Amino acid sequence: MNYLNLGGNSDLKVSQVALGCMRMTSLNEKEATSLLETTVSEGINFFDHADIYGGGECETLFGKALKASSINRDSIFVQSKCGIREGSFDFSKEHIINAVDGSLARLGVDYLDVLALHRPDTLVEPEEVAAAFDYLEQSGKVRHFGVSNQKPMQIELLKKSVKQPLLVNQLQFGVKASGLVDQGFNVNMKNEASFEHDGSVLDYSRLHDMTIQAWSPYQYGFFEGVFLGNDKFPKLNATIDKIAAKYGVTNTGIATAWISRHPANMQTILGTMKESRVKEVALASDIVLTREEWYEIYRAAGNVLP
């Protein structure tokens, strides 16, 4: 398993693949415990949550499984996100603090290694976020902070008041969700791909030492389905399968290696609840695709280079 320093310069040595726990309620407690132990045994030490996953039940189940397992809490990194409410977003000081208290209680832990603000709140007051972060850091409830689904100017607005480094930004990225790189290939062009949708957040993240955490890495569209093994994408799957055979790994491993190959040093959030899939990805974690293989997969996904 490859490891990286979260945020580039922090002392958090985390696995380049993290386990996302959004679907954990599909398991019972015994299955969840086994999944956690398998994940850690494969070298994955980072777990991603959000207070809204399963209405909080995902965190509750994780907490029970962690307690039942042989895993030492201090040997893993637990991240959770907050800010999404029913019908609104909320980055108020009161909500952030209450959300963290709720997550800690459900997870059965004393602290979060990372807290990320889940989706941008246009009513955000940076001073309130700063006050919440200060309290959470000083009380020992949260050790590090980040954001999710935010573009550079939204991050800069937060940094106007927030003094803690923002280590992560969780963004959708994968072979069939390649928006982070598409515009960079089409600068000064007059085509659909030339439109800038995210404020050059990829380059911003590299310049400011923020780790991009790639969510839904095997999905196409907005949760339309998985592209791997999908008859809708014959050329892409044939290309991935060919490269997978070369390296002796599965298509999931190659789709993950495609993300890891980018020099931004991203962390892939693996959303599976299958131990076999965790093992597949872990087995391929040391693979470094060639430049030619990376671009071959990118083109096979339907992208045209100018």
Side-chain angles (χ1 to χ4, degrees), residues 15-28:
S15 51
Q16 194 162 18
V17 175
L19 185 69
C21 300
M22 185 174 71
R23 300 178 177 88
M24 187 158 278
T25 51
S26 65
L27 308 177
N28 59 39

Side-chain angles (χ1 to χ4, degrees), residues 193-212:
S194 69
F195 294 137
E196 178 59 77
H197 295 281
D198 53 28
S200 297
V201 69
L202 174 61
D203 299 323
Y204 176 89
S205 300
R206 297 179 72 180
L207 285 167
H208 292 271
D209 294 317
M210 293 184 74
T211 297
I212 291 175

Side-chain angles (χ1 to χ4, degrees), residues 111-124:
Y111 64 93
L112 294 177
D113 293 282
V114 183
L115 171 71
L117 300 177
H118 206 159
R119 280 196 177 273
D121 173 17
T122 194
L123 302 182
V124 62

Side-chain angles (χ1 to χ4, degrees), residues 246-299:
K246 170 188 171 181
Y247 288 101
V249 297
T250 65
N251 57 0
T252 307
I254 293 301
T256 308
W258 187 85
I259 296 170
S260 300
R261 175 62 177 82
H262 197 283
N265 216 14
M266 303 181 197
Q267 185 182 44
T268 299
I269 305 294
L270 181 64
T272 187
M273 292 291 102
K274 295 181 179 179
E275 294 180 35
S276 60
R277 190 63 54 84
V278 171
K279 293 178 180 179
E280 288 176 14
V281 173
L283 181 65
S285 66
D286 293 330
I287 291 174
V288 179
L289 297 178
T290 66
R291 184 180 294 267
E292 292 76 16
E293 289 166 342
W294 192 95
Y295 277 102
E296 183 180 7
I297 291 171
Y298 181 76
R299 296 195 312 272

Side-chain angles (χ1 to χ4, degrees), residues 17-71:
V17 175
L19 185 69
C21 300
M22 185 174 71
R23 300 178 177 88
M24 187 158 278
T25 51
S26 65
L27 308 177
N28 59 39
E29 184 177 331
K30 183 179 179 180
E31 291 168 336
T33 302
S34 180
L35 175 65
L36 263 59
E37 291 183 332
T38 295
T39 300
V40 171
S41 70
E42 292 295 327
I44 297 173
N45 64 4
F46 197 98
F47 297 87
D48 175 66
H49 290 272
D51 59 351
I52 64 164
Y53 291 165
E57 289 303 310
C58 292
E59 290 182 329
T60 298
L61 181 56
F62 180 92
K64 292 178 179 178
L66 181 62
K67 184 176 181 180
S69 75
S70 58
I71 300 168

